[in-house]
Amino acid sequence: MHTQPLYAIKAELFKALAHPARLQVLEVLAADPDLTAPVARLLEVTGAEPSALSQHLAVLKRVGVVDSARTGNLVDYRLTEPLVAELLVVARAFLLTRLADAATGAQLDAVRQLPPLPGASARGVLEAAEAAFEGVAR
């Protein structure tokens, strides 16, 4: 069985996710009940320049994790697949587990400011990691 092309596609996805601003955009989208947000909100949250945000959104669109809809002058972005939100939940659980033993005060504050992420199957994983993190952090 030749699985190399599948791993190449997966690697492209992870490369697209490998930037803090793109992860922040995805978390904002995942936190919304409709998995959407207007560009103005994404600019506000990321603090990115409009041209930089546009480039990040183009990368995410190219790998198919977001798409956009224009209404007049307004552009909304949305996650194309709820499973992207699940991936973010698992990634956050991993982050919290890794930080639990050696987090700095600034990292603890940053974790507390992260937007809530929905999730179905991964929700229990995240809650367990958050409980472990909070137990160590106090």
Side-chain angles (χ1 to χ4, degrees), residues 3-16 62-63:
T3 59
Q4 197 61 31
L6 297 176
Y7 288 113
I9 293 168
K10 191 183 289 187
E12 286 300 314
L13 169 65
F14 282 110
K15 279 196 276 185
R62 188 175 62 247
V63 297

Side-chain angles (χ1 to χ4, degrees), residues 28-54:
V28 168
L29 296 174
D32 185 85
D34 296 324
L35 305 176
T36 64
V39 169
R41 171 86 173 116
L42 299 176
L43 284 167
E44 172 190 324
V45 170
T46 63
E49 292 295 321
S51 61
L53 181 62
S54 178

Side-chain angles (χ1 to χ4, degrees), residues 109-129:
D109 290 341
V111 166
R112 289 186 184 100
Q113 293 175 17
L114 291 171
L117 291 175
S121 59
R123 185 42 133 180
V125 173
L126 180 58
E127 288 173 354

Side-chain angles (χ1 to χ4, degrees), residues 4 26-27 36 41 45-46 61 71 81 83-85 91 100 110 118 131 137:
Q4 197 61 31
L26 292 174
E27 285 202 356
T36 64
R41 171 86 173 116
V45 170
T46 63
K61 280 181 88 167
T71 307
E81 175 62 56
L83 285 174
V84 174

Side-chain angles (χ1 to χ4, degrees), residues 48-104:
E49 292 295 321
S51 61
L53 181 62
S54 178
Q55 290 175 0
H56 289 306
L57 290 167
V59 169
L60 294 172
K61 280 181 88 167
R62 188 175 62 247
V63 297
V65 296
V66 301
D67 65 10
S68 61
R70 179 179 293 276
T71 307
N73 291 336
L74 303 176
V75 179
D76 288 332
Y77 278 83
R78 73 172 187 87
L79 291 180
T80 58
E81 175 62 56
L83 285 174
V84 174
E86 296 281 341
L87 178 63
L88 295 169
V89 169
V90 172
R92 185 176 296 175
F94 176 80
L95 170 71
L96 293 176
T97 301
R98 297 284 298 167
L99 286 176
D101 294 331
T104 66

